[in-house]
Amino acid sequence: MSSDTQSTDAVSDPVGYFLEDITYHGKSERTREFYERVLRDFETFLKDGGRPVPIAEASHRDCMAYVHSLRGDASESTVATYASYLHRFYAYMTQVGAFESNPMTLVVEEMDEAINTDPTRREIDVASMRQFVDTVTHPLEQALVVTLLKTGMRVGELCNLDVRDLSLADPGPRPEIPARAALDGRPDSLYIAAEPARGSVLNGEERTASNKRKRDTTVPVDDELARVLRRWLAIRPDTRSEAMPLFVSTSGDWGRRVTPDMVHHIVERHARGHGWYREGGGTEENVTPHYFRHFFTTHLRDRTGDRGVVKYLRGDVAQDVIDTYTHEWGNRVREVYEANIYSLGQ
């Protein structure tokens, strides 16, 4: 991020200024185009709205009105994506001194309050989830399911994990690959990067999924998840990939990195056998990999009462909050997590 500051007067086209900067920072053309589409759409909304103002002068109410206008025509995930891009734009422009404040902060906080509180969604208690996990016995499938349930990560983030992203105090029979430097001094933890994008090449391998974190996140691995991962690493097939993926197929695509489709099929098969999945059923009924993220968020938030820690673990917070929790890794995050994370009986 540029350390130079700019006054609002010096930036005649704030959107163009921002797009130029993210290009310098290495964002892909596709990402740049998406930002431009969202930001120009917001500019048009402001221009055509009842209170036409330049984007630099938009209030939090203008931003809320825009987000509200998207609902009905777009899915909730799309609305959240548009909001996150707008939030990042304002955060950046505020940091470089072009804007005085970020009007999206209040909007995003309000959206976070509503996250995963859909009253129509199937609610599963820990005891029932424990019975479900007990039916998943294959080491790979068990490792995939338990990792999702214990970390709340997205399925794409799960698929993008490499062996170097895992640090275990008792490593067991893992490949001779050192954990990445960011995990030094942080045993029993997983590193979830923000950078992998579908189609990009990372560690010598083209990725089939994208991570959607706002920032890199270090997530604790408790004793239960560590045991499950060691069990998987003991039988993990060799792979030709230079990236050394953590999770690889043990079936038709032997030794190749698992894909989101593979994980979805595994979870769907087990959920169907447990009566938690029906063809044609919606998100309120079917248990999918994304449901595990909902389960993690709901139960950990209710147990801790600490939305900040849960948002950090989910990767949903801005850099200043990330810095706070990263610096407090040795006490607050890990202690809160280990004191409250549920057992799945593994």
Side-chain angles (χ1 to χ4, degrees):
M1 220 171 255
S2 170
S3 59
D4 298 333
T5 58
Q6 297 282 336
S7 69
T8 304
D9 294 339
V11 182
S12 58
D13 178 16
V15 172
Y17 176 92
F18 173 76
L19 295 173
E20 185 176 45
D21 271 23
I22 65 172
T23 300
Y24 291 153
H25 292 319
K27 295 295 185 183
S28 68
E29 182 64 24
R30 182 182 178 190
T31 297
R32 186 186 186 281
E33 289 174 354
F34 195 90
Y35 267 112
E36 182 167 23
R37 184 162 68 250
V38 172
L39 296 174
R40 296 301 185 193
D41 184 60
F42 181 53
E43 279 189 320
T44 300
F45 173 83
L46 292 174
K47 179 181 177 182
D48 298 340
R51 198 181 80 88
V53 293
I55 198 168
E57 298 175 19
S59 69
H60 77 280
R61 290 183 66 84
D62 296 319
C63 293
M64 283 195 295
Y66 174 66
V67 170
H68 179 70
S69 74
L70 299 173
R71 295 194 170 102
D73 296 328
S75 67
E76 280 303 309
S77 62
T78 299
V79 172
T81 299
Y82 272 53
S84 70
Y85 272 59
L86 200 56
H87 181 49
R88 292 175 200 176
F89 163 72
Y90 275 111
Y92 182 85
M93 297 301 285
T94 301
Q95 185 160 346
V96 300
F99 292 175
E100 292 185 2
S101 62
N102 179 356
M104 279 297 295
T105 300
L106 286 174
V107 179
V108 170
E109 287 179 358
E110 184 64 26
M111 292 176 71
D112 284 342
E113 285 298 318
I115 198 164
N116 287 325
T117 56
D118 182 354
T120 66
R121 188 189 288 268
R122 179 194 293 273
E123 290 300 331
I124 299 173
D125 59 30
V126 173
S128 299
M129 186 61 76
R130 193 174 292 133
Q131 293 174 354
F132 169 78
V133 173
D134 193 50
T135 67
V136 184
T137 57
H138 188 283
L140 170 62
E141 297 178 356
Q142 187 180 83
L144 294 172
V145 168
V146 174
T147 301
L148 288 170
L149 282 166
K150 285 280 192 169
T151 67
M153 70 175 70
R154 299 173 178 87
V155 66
E157 295 165 348
L158 177 85
C159 295
N160 275 324
L161 288 173
D162 296 329
V163 172
R164 73 188 188 121
D165 295 322
L166 171 65
S167 173
L168 294 176
D170 176 9
R174 68 176 275 159
E176 292 297 321
I177 301 168
R180 61 163 72 227
L183 293 178
D184 285 350
R186 295 178 182 175
D188 291 328
S189 51
L190 275 165
Y191 184 87
I192 309 172
E195 60 191 14
R198 184 176 182 179
S200 65
V201 176
L202 187 65
N203 296 339
E205 181 187 344
E206 182 175 341
R207 300 305 172 112
T208 61
S210 297
N211 287 10
K212 298 180 180 179
R213 307 214 142 216
K214 291 184 179 180
R215 294 294 185 273
D216 303 335
T217 313
T218 305
V219 178
V221 171
D222 70 347
D223 291 344
E224 183 173 51
L225 178 55
R227 286 194 300 273
V228 170
L229 291 173
R230 280 194 295 269
R231 192 180 308 146
W232 156 243
L233 287 169
I235 63 108
R236 172 185 172 277
D238 291 335
T239 177
R240 299 180 190 176
S241 169
E242 296 177 21
M244 296 299 288
L246 178 60
F247 297 118
V248 297
S249 175
T250 58
S251 55
D253 292 315
W254 183 267
R256 298 190 64 179
R257 183 185 299 274
V258 296
T259 66
D261 280 347
M262 292 180 190
V263 179
H264 274 280
H265 286 311
I266 289 169
V267 173
E268 177 186 329
R269 173 164 46 83
H270 287 287
R272 192 187 297 274
H274 207 74
W276 287 353
Y277 193 97
R278 178 180 63 82
E279 204 66 44
T283 56
E284 71 281 357
E285 180 177 1
N286 287 345
V287 169
T288 64
H290 189 72
Y291 180 87
F292 294 153
R293 183 168 167 84
H294 161 77
F295 181 90
F296 171 87
T297 302
T298 300
H299 287 281
L300 199 61
R301 184 186 59 211
D302 290 349
R303 285 165 174 245
T304 65
D306 190 329
R307 295 185 63 86
V309 167
V310 175
K311 287 172 67 177
Y312 166 80
L313 294 168
R314 283 173 51 95
D316 289 344
V317 291
Q319 186 63 53
D320 55 344
V321 182
I322 283 282
D323 289 343
T324 297
Y325 287 115
T326 298
H327 294 157
E328 294 183 351
W329 171 260
N331 44 60
R332 185 173 181 185
V333 172
R334 181 149 212 129
E335 288 177 6
V336 169
Y337 177 89
E338 291 188 337
N340 294 281
I341 191 63
Y342 37 78
S343 168
L344 297 171
Q346 299 306 301

